[in-house]
Amino acid sequence: MSHKPHSQQASSIKHLVRVSGAGADHNSNIAIAQAQGTVDQILSDSGVACTFLRPKNFMQNFSGFLAGMIKSGTFYTSQG
């Protein structure tokens, strides 16, 4: 997979930090992991220095879609 950024953009960007996703892999069978991995790969191939952050959860996950489970008194998650 190869994608070259516009030359003006490449010359002005020294380092890129991207919030990606846990399990990002362009070969994944999971759609969101595949999408995140594809974007990460395109950026890696660009020649611009990159740092990829792959958080497992954000606070809004707990106050949003996990809130019902937390309120019920039973809470399951895959935290390390």
Side-chain angles (χ1 to χ4, degrees):
M1 179 181 310
S2 181
H3 177 79
K4 298 293 180 194
H6 186 274
S7 61
Q8 284 182 319
Q9 291 173 336
S11 65
S12 64
I13 298 172
K14 304 295 181 214
H15 192 104
L16 183 101
V17 177
R18 172 177 145 67
V19 178
S20 183
D25 180 353
H26 69 276
N27 292 316
S28 178
N29 293 327
I30 300 168
I32 189 67
Q34 185 180 56
Q36 295 284 8
T38 298
V39 172
D40 292 354
Q41 189 64 54
I42 290 168
L43 293 174
S44 291
D45 292 346
S46 74
V48 175
C50 297
T51 299
F52 299 105
L53 305 176
R54 294 191 174 133
K56 164 64 178 92
N57 262 318
F58 292 98
M59 191 61 205
Q60 65 264 34
N61 294 349
F62 295 97
S63 62
F65 74 89
L66 296 173
M69 184 174 25
I70 293 168
K71 289 176 186 176
S72 77
T74 303
F75 178 63
Y76 299 99
T77 187
S78 58
Q79 299 298 97

